[in-house]
């Protein structure tokens, strides 16, 4: 009932095709009255060319990464449905044993402790850094080799995936929700079945097996984001909704 209040108007803006379809299926709202305006990044802020090698190295060290081993990061709030536990299981299952994993984001102290216990039980404590909240997300991503979005419930859009791709970092995401629209499987990243730690492990192994391909996918990811997911394109689509309402009222 609360959500339906947002539909008592002539135009609705959805932040993804997934949410548009949800609005139609659940509320029966007319499709022709929905404008899809995907969220966007500011290209000047998420620009890998603006970050020096020295800064990348410093941030990489902060997150536990080393020159001779890959750094895998997951940026997002630490909560159960984001899939941190599934990613730890995948890390334990992966054939690659040399990469370091960093969780970046705030969360409940009890949940953080549960993640630490899980990591210890899996023998991963020395390969995991729980960094807490940071304001330098572009630098965090620039210091990373691979980004993960492991949500077990569908993301309405999934901003973390476009931020990583904007910084030329390929993404492994779960195959549902907005991630299906932001991550191009095999071109800018990988999509895996939600909650499937073995599939996630296989994608990590594949991603880290070919540094040249990973770099090529990173460049393709930035081009993909600049073409479809910028603040400018988002605002243009949102403004078209206001224009439609104003035109109808004349």
């Amino acid at each position: 009932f609360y959500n339906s209040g947002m539909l008592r108007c002539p135009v609705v803006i959805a932040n993804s095709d997934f949410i548009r379809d949800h609005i139609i299926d659940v509320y029966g709202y007319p499709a022709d009255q929905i404008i899809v305006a995907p969220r966007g990044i500011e290209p000047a802020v998420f620009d890998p060319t603006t970050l020096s090698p020295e800064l990348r190295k410093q941030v990489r060290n902060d997150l536990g990464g080393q020159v001779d081993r890959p750094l895998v990061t997951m940026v997002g709030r630490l909560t159960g449905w984001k899939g941190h536990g599934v990613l730890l299981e995948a890390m334990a299952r992966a054939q690659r044993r040399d990469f370091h994993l960093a969780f970046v984001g705030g969360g409940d102290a009890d949940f953080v402790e549960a993640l630490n216990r899980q990591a210890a039980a899996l023998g991963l404590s020395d390969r995991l850094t729980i960094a807490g909240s940071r304001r330098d997300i572009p630098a965090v991503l620039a210091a990373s080799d691979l980004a993960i979005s492991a949500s077990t419930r569908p993301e309405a859009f999934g901003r973390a995936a476009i931020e990583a791709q904007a910084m030329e970092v390929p993404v492994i995401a779960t195959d549902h929700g907005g991630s299906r629209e932001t991550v191009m499987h095999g071109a800018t990243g990988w999509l895996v079945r939600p909650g499937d730690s073995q599939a996630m492990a296989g994608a990590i192994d594949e991603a880290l097996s070919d540094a040249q391909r990973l770099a090529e996918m990173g460049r393709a990811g930035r081009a993909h984001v600049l073409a479809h997911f910028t603040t400018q394109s988002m605002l243009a689509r949102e403004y078209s909704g206001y224009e439609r309402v104003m035109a109808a009222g004349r």
Side-chain angles (χ1 to χ4, degrees):
F1 176 80
Y2 174 82
N3 288 339
S4 69
M6 293 184 287
L7 305 178
R8 296 167 193 166
C9 50
V11 173
V12 166
I13 296 173
N15 65 354
S16 65
D17 291 339
F18 169 69
I19 291 300
R20 177 201 60 199
D21 294 344
H22 176 78
I23 292 171
I24 295 169
D25 294 342
V26 175
Y27 301 100
Y29 194 81
D32 61 358
Q33 292 177 226
I34 301 174
I35 292 174
V36 177
R39 297 181 69 182
I41 55 92
E42 185 56 50
V45 175
F46 287 87
D47 183 352
T49 66
T50 65
L51 301 172
S52 68
E54 292 76 20
L55 178 58
R56 294 181 189 223
K57 182 178 179 180
Q58 177 185 330
V59 174
R60 193 177 180 92
N61 287 339
D62 290 345
L63 299 177
Q66 303 295 325
V67 174
D68 59 344
R69 60 178 178 177
L71 175 63
V72 178
T73 58
M74 182 167 162
V75 176
R77 185 163 48 95
L78 272 64
T79 189
W81 72 272
K82 288 288 188 178
H84 296 83
V86 176
L87 181 52
L88 285 177
E89 293 175 8
M91 189 178 184
R93 290 173 176 266
Q95 295 181 8
R96 290 287 298 251
R97 314 301 293 177
D98 59 340
F99 66 92
H100 193 84
L101 175 63
F103 291 152
V104 179
D108 179 79
D110 290 340
F111 185 70
V112 173
E113 178 56 31
L115 290 176
N116 280 318
R117 289 197 301 270
Q118 181 182 2
L122 294 171
L124 302 174
S125 295
D126 62 340
R127 295 172 54 203
L128 172 68
T129 298
I130 300 180
S133 296
R134 294 183 64 120
R135 299 180 64 87
D136 58 343
I137 297 305
V140 165
L141 294 169
S144 307
D145 298 289
L146 182 66
I148 308 288
S149 174
S151 301
T152 56
R153 298 206 309 258
E155 296 274 3
F157 176 76
R159 185 178 176 86
I162 64 167
E163 290 180 348
Q165 290 175 90
M167 296 305 293
E168 298 188 349
V169 179
V171 179
I172 299 175
T174 39
D175 189 12
H176 54 180
S179 296
R180 290 178 171 174
E181 301 164 42
T182 59
V183 179
M184 299 171 64
H185 182 72
T188 70
W190 292 262
L191 294 171
V192 300
R193 188 167 58 184
D196 188 338
S197 60
Q198 187 60 59
M200 179 70 73
I204 292 172
D205 285 331
E206 180 180 347
L208 299 181
S209 68
D210 188 338
Q212 181 176 345
R213 183 190 181 200
L214 205 61
E216 291 172 353
M217 294 177 78
R219 290 189 290 271
R222 179 166 176 80
H224 174 56
V225 169
L226 293 183
H228 302 286
F229 304 109
T230 64
T231 51
Q232 183 176 2
S233 63
M234 176 187 71
L235 292 174
R237 294 191 185 192
E238 289 181 351
Y239 186 70
S240 71
Y242 290 102
E243 287 184 312
R244 185 186 300 186
V245 172
M246 289 186 291
R250 290 171 187 165

